[in-house]
Amino acid sequence: MQDPIGIPACFSSVEKQTDDPATVMRSGQSVFMYVYRTKIADQCRLITITWCKNLLLHGLSVAVAGPDGESQYTCKVELKPWYFWRKHGSKRFVVDDKPVDIFWDLKAAKFNGETEPSSEYYVAVVCNEEVVLLLGDLKKDAYRKTGCRPALVDPILVSKKEHIFGKKKFSTKVKFYEKGRFHDISIECKNRSNSNGNGNGNGSSCSGVDPEMEIRIDGHLVIHVKHLQWKFRGNESIHVNKLRVEVYWDVHDWLFSPGLRHALFIFKPLMSSSSTSPTTSSLPLSSLTSIQTPLTSQPGSSDAEDQGVNAGGSSEFCLFLYAWKVE
């Protein structure tokens, strides 16, 4: 599997970025990347919020995509625990001749040992005297500090990329919609004894062990893949609180590549009566890394609305989960 990862170098020069998976392997860093779409400098742009953490450092970066979608304007904050660092402050850069200000307050942020804070913080992006993106629960403090009003256009969470490490079991939490509740996702790779004892040299040993995979959401088994050596890539539709979610997986490197390798899982929420064109479930895994097709809502789907579907019934969110298997 040759999927580009794109890990911002949170702990090095702001200008340096890397797509090399070896960076993740060497540092063992946990990475959470959130991509939002909103209006900045009179254009619709992507903002990437990245939280990084390894044994030595902890960092936050905010990147605004340029008009070509590639060049970026970046602000970096390093959280250094052993000496003074600016736990609150602001930085400015210019996008198309218009100033963009990043405000943050992490003085009392509660991380609870995690990579990203859970409460008592804010991170705000301001342009044209509007708060175009606001993260955290200290919203009143953020508006007071910036002196700006909320933007007329709400930002849309497009995707989340997460890197996790484990031996057999991998766990995370996700909201399939911005206003939805958190769901617990766990992925477990097991070895099942084959009574025939016939090894085939393709992911199963000569002792007759067949790998299999289980995916659970909120403790409920939703996907069970047997004979994983033959089904290392695939997709399946599941339902979470009556919400349809398409799940894609590619675990080829877990089975057939030596050393530390990652598997890729994609969770894409859809509407129950998906009338999209083309059908998302028929798309290959590689195309999901760039898919941003709005999805049409099902009439009268109140459950989906409770999950936070916008008035048009569209959802553009994807969870990209990179699971690094440590032997």
Side-chain angles (χ1 to χ4, degrees), residues 291-313:
I291 185 171
Q292 297 175 354
T293 305
L295 304 172
T296 305
S297 67
Q298 178 182 7
S301 179
S302 59
D303 295 291
E305 291 174 359
D306 291 340
Q307 289 284 346
V309 183
N310 60 29

Side-chain angles (χ1 to χ4, degrees), residues 119-324:
S119 62
E120 302 297 323
Y121 79 102
Y122 70 76
V123 177
V125 182
V126 175
C127 183
N128 290 339
E129 298 184 348
E130 291 185 339
V131 180
V132 297
L133 179 63
L134 177 56
L135 306 178
D137 56 337
L138 301 182
K139 299 185 184 302
K140 291 183 179 179
D141 293 351
Y143 288 122
R144 187 183 307 112
K145 178 64 177 179
T146 61
C148 298
R149 63 184 183 276
L152 298 177
V153 178
D154 290 332
I156 298 174
L157 178 59
V158 176
S159 67
K160 176 186 178 182
K161 291 185 179 182
E162 183 176 345
H163 293 255
I164 55 178
F165 293 77
K167 292 185 177 181
K168 294 183 179 180
K169 191 171 183 178
F170 306 84
S171 301
T172 188
K173 293 180 180 289
V174 67
K175 290 193 296 185
F176 291 116
Y177 290 99
E178 184 67 20
K179 297 180 181 179
R181 70 178 183 87
F182 278 101
H183 295 279
D184 294 314
I185 296 178
S186 69
I187 301 169
E188 188 170 3
C189 187
K190 300 180 178 180
N191 287 325
R192 182 180 181 183
S193 298
N194 185 348
S195 57
N196 295 329
N198 294 325
N200 52 31
N202 291 289
S204 60
S205 66
C206 296
S207 60
V209 175
D210 282 334
E212 60 182 32
M213 180 180 66
E214 294 180 354
I215 300 179
R216 298 177 182 270
I217 295 184
D218 298 329
H220 302 290
L221 181 64
V222 293
I223 294 178
H224 186 194
V225 182
K226 298 180 180 180
H227 309 298
L228 194 60
Q229 70 273 25
W230 302 113
K231 303 174 184 178
F232 50 82
R233 294 189 183 101
N235 65 286
E236 192 170 322
S237 293
I238 63 174
H239 285 83
V240 180
N241 293 344
K242 299 183 180 180
L243 175 70
R244 180 185 166 193
V245 178
E246 195 74 17
V247 182
Y248 298 79
W249 66 87
D250 185 340
V251 300
H252 175 274
D253 287 4
W254 271 4
L255 302 172
F256 304 107
S257 297
L260 179 61
R261 292 293 183 268
H262 71 276
L264 172 62
F265 298 88
I266 299 177
F267 294 81
K268 172 69 177 175
L270 306 172
M271 301 310 298
S272 298
S273 61
S274 177
S275 58
T276 60
S277 179
T279 303
T280 306
S281 60
S282 64
L283 295 175
L285 180 68
S286 58
S287 69
L288 266 293
T289 57
S290 59
I291 185 171
Q292 297 175 354
T293 305
L295 304 172
T296 305
S297 67
Q298 178 182 7
S301 179
S302 59
D303 295 291
E305 291 174 359
D306 291 340
Q307 289 284 346
V309 183
N310 60 29
S314 65
S315 168
E316 301 183 33
F317 176 73
C318 268
L319 169 65
F320 298 88
L321 184 61
Y322 297 87
W324 294 82

